[in-house]
Amino acid sequence: MTTSTLVVHDSAQTLGNAGEKGAGEGLVDSAPLRIVWVKVGNLWPLNTGGRLRSFNIIRELSRRHQVTVITTHSPDEDAEALRSQLPHARSVCSLTYSPAKFGSPRFFIALLRSWLSSLPVDLYKNRIPALQREVARALNSGEFDLCVADFLFAVPNVPMQGSTPVLFFAHNVEYRIWQRLCNNAQGHLRRALLAFEWRKMRAYETRTCRRAGLSVAVSDDDRCLLSKDSPRSRIRDVPTGVDLDYFHAAGEVEENPLEIVFTGSMDWHPNEDAMLYFIDSVLPLIRREVPQLAVTMVGRNPSATMVAAAARSGVTLTGTVDDVRPYIERAAVYIVPLRIGGGTRLKIYEALAMAKAVVSTSIGAEGLPLEDGANILIADEPAHFAAAVLELLAMPGRRKQLGAAGRKLMEERYSWRHVARQFERHCRELLQ
């Protein structure tokens, strides 16, 4: 059931200040845009990669442009907190909504109904009538130059072929996530169901790129994948960014030379799969050489399966924390053992911004302009991953060298202001 909570914040001063010296510094110097930004799922707190990317781009754009945000939040989230964090936004409208949870009666009803539609179940259960009405009301007003459909989940709630052009912001190639889930699935029935879902997801994703005026991916790899299925569509990309002031090596906590750390939302299946794989296949190989190794997993809402795995392997599982930086800073090595995923992993940029040595799988670092051996170590097989971690644990100088190279790269190319500047150019291309 959906209930509406409307939170409105009008910033009449936004346009009035836009032409003043310093307003929108670093962004494209042109007339302000009127943007309505639609997202399913809250933008605050910043506890997922998608929220981080969207929030920081919106924050930078709203310093110069009229940005109206229409989004949803769960009953336990505070919509007012988002409003306070976006003081320059023209308005923020957040609707209370809880999507059907996997295994619940609502989920199975949505699954059955989705089989009779063109929508995969993950999109079908995120069709939100109240959100659709709010978006239609905004677009029918004629007050906006363009609409941003943020993530594929927003698309079923946005009129794609109305009078207002739509920019589809693709944080992931969603079908690839489902395809990889299928490839790693156990059991013929589960694999068959996932195969059905990823093919439906691919078809819908391709259709969305064709219907959108312009699509923006978050890496060149993702842009190429989307373009392969929809070669006539306008598809661009923007880099991932990081808050360089927030994520930096403060040097306040002494490094623990025998601790490694992973951060990420543990209620996102690719993260859980990554750490279960690490605990079962990689950690025993490392502990054979370094029995006293400490492993810390930082992330919200771990499942019972994850809690049990951490307990039996002596891994520290923190759950939700207010600040991930102390955990990253005190560890010697940051690990990203992902086997499933899409888009780009902001967690890697955060670790690099803090000058940490990172060991990742190819999928974990997919889409990021990183060079194995220069600013990150890439290893896919369990033995190779363990060897990379052991190398860094044994060589403090090598850790510092990789960390310094990573921080330098972040400073040169990946501030959020730089990312927002590129996103704005794509918005203006759409209007041309």
Side-chain angles (χ1 to χ4, degrees):
M1 182 176 181
T2 304
T3 57
S4 298
T5 302
L6 183 62
V7 180
V8 178
H9 168 56
D10 288 310
S11 297
Q13 73 274 18
T14 302
L15 275 184
N17 293 340
E20 295 178 9
K21 184 177 180 180
E25 180 183 347
L27 292 178
V28 176
D29 184 17
S30 190
L33 297 171
R34 301 173 300 170
I35 303 169
V36 58
W37 191 290
V38 182
K39 184 179 186 300
V40 173
N42 204 355
L43 288 157
W44 191 267
L46 301 180
N47 53 15
T48 69
R51 290 185 180 191
L52 277 162
R53 184 182 290 112
S54 297
F55 175 86
N56 281 289
I57 292 176
I58 291 170
R59 183 183 63 178
E60 293 297 331
L61 289 177
S62 63
R63 297 181 191 278
R64 174 173 172 79
H65 304 282
Q66 293 188 71
V67 182
T68 292
V69 177
I70 304 178
T71 186
T72 66
H73 63 277
S74 64
D76 60 344
E77 291 178 322
D78 182 6
E80 290 288 345
L82 174 61
R83 169 184 167 177
S84 68
Q85 295 296 324
L86 293 173
H88 299 292
R90 181 188 179 193
S91 67
V92 175
C93 170
S94 192
L95 310 173
T96 307
Y97 179 72
S98 295
K101 294 183 178 181
F102 179 78
S104 68
R106 282 179 61 207
F107 176 85
F108 284 113
I109 291 172
L111 177 62
L112 292 174
R113 289 178 174 174
S114 74
W115 288 348
L116 302 176
S117 79
S118 62
L119 291 173
V121 64
D122 217 29
L123 301 184
Y124 189 91
K125 67 187 180 72
N126 282 298
R127 297 174 310 120
I128 308 169
L131 182 63
Q132 293 169 356
R133 290 192 295 270
E134 199 63 44
V135 173
R137 185 180 300 116
L139 298 185
N140 289 337
S141 71
E143 296 179 358
F144 297 97
D145 298 315
L146 73 150
C147 173
V148 175
D150 190 10
F151 277 92
L152 193 63
F153 307 105
V155 173
N157 301 287
V158 173
M160 296 293 288
Q161 295 178 319
S163 58
T164 304
V166 176
L167 184 151
F168 166 44
F169 190 15
H171 294 245
N172 304 301
V173 179
E174 297 291 344
Y175 86 80
R176 289 283 282 174
I177 298 176
W178 286 82
Q179 186 181 46
R180 286 166 173 166
L181 281 171
C182 175
N183 293 341
N184 286 284
Q186 301 297 318
H188 296 298
L189 178 59
R190 178 174 173 79
R191 185 168 293 179
L193 290 172
L194 288 170
F196 179 65
E197 288 298 316
W198 82 251
R199 288 183 172 89
K200 287 185 73 175
M201 187 72 79
R202 183 178 187 175
Y204 190 84
E205 207 159 19
T206 299
R207 188 160 62 251
T208 296
C209 290
R210 290 172 180 166
R211 295 169 66 200
L214 186 141
S215 300
V216 176
V218 298
S219 72
D220 186 60
D221 288 353
D222 280 10
R223 181 191 62 78
C224 290
L225 273 174
L226 294 172
S227 296
K228 182 178 179 181
D229 288 331
S230 187
R232 296 185 179 180
S233 301
R234 284 196 292 175
I235 304 175
R236 308 292 183 256
D237 63 86
V238 294
T240 287
V242 65
D243 188 334
L244 294 170
D245 294 326
Y246 187 81
F247 290 99
H248 66 279
E252 297 172 355
V253 180
E254 184 177 357
E255 179 187 81
N256 180 348
L258 293 179
E259 181 176 2
I260 62 177
V261 66
F262 172 87
T263 65
S265 303
M266 296 313 301
D267 55 1
W268 194 52
H269 179 72
N271 285 339
E272 179 179 86
D273 174 82
M275 290 311 296
L276 290 174
Y277 156 72
F278 179 82
I279 287 171
D280 291 339
S281 303
V282 181
L283 184 56
L285 302 178
I286 301 174
R287 284 226 171 109
R288 188 183 301 165
E289 304 295 329
V290 185
Q292 65 272 43
L293 178 75
V295 182
T296 303
M297 294 182 351
V298 183
R300 68 179 189 183
N301 301 333
S303 68
T305 300
M306 192 75 259
V307 171
R312 73 170 181 264
S313 59
V315 169
T316 300
L317 187 57
T318 69
T320 302
V321 300
D322 293 330
D323 189 347
V324 301
R325 291 174 299 175
Y327 298 91
I328 298 174
E329 185 159 27
R330 79 185 187 201
V333 179
Y334 187 95
I335 60 169
V336 189
L338 283 167
R339 302 189 301 170
I340 302 167
T344 53
R345 257 59 62 195
L346 277 75
K347 58 171 67 73
I348 290 183
Y349 275 21
E350 292 168 356
L352 293 178
M354 294 186 69
K356 281 294 163 183
V358 176
V359 179
S360 174
T361 58
S362 298
I363 289 176
E366 190 175 54
L368 300 178
L370 302 174
E371 184 181 348
D372 182 23
N375 40 43
I376 192 172
L377 295 186
I378 305 293
D380 290 315
E381 296 302 318
H384 296 160
F385 201 103
V389 172
L390 287 167
E391 173 192 337
L392 293 177
L393 291 175
M395 303 175 65
R398 179 65 169 140
R399 294 201 300 269
K400 291 181 180 179
Q401 179 188 36
L402 280 177
R407 174 69 191 189
K408 182 180 179 182
L409 179 66
M410 296 302 101
E411 289 175 342
E412 290 176 348
R413 297 174 59 184
Y414 297 106
S415 71
W416 282 119
R417 179 151 295 188
H418 177 82
V419 174
R421 183 164 63 246
Q422 295 195 39
F423 194 92
E424 180 185 339
R425 291 194 183 104
H426 297 320
C427 290
R428 294 195 182 279
E429 180 186 354
L430 169 62
L431 297 180
Q432 292 172 1

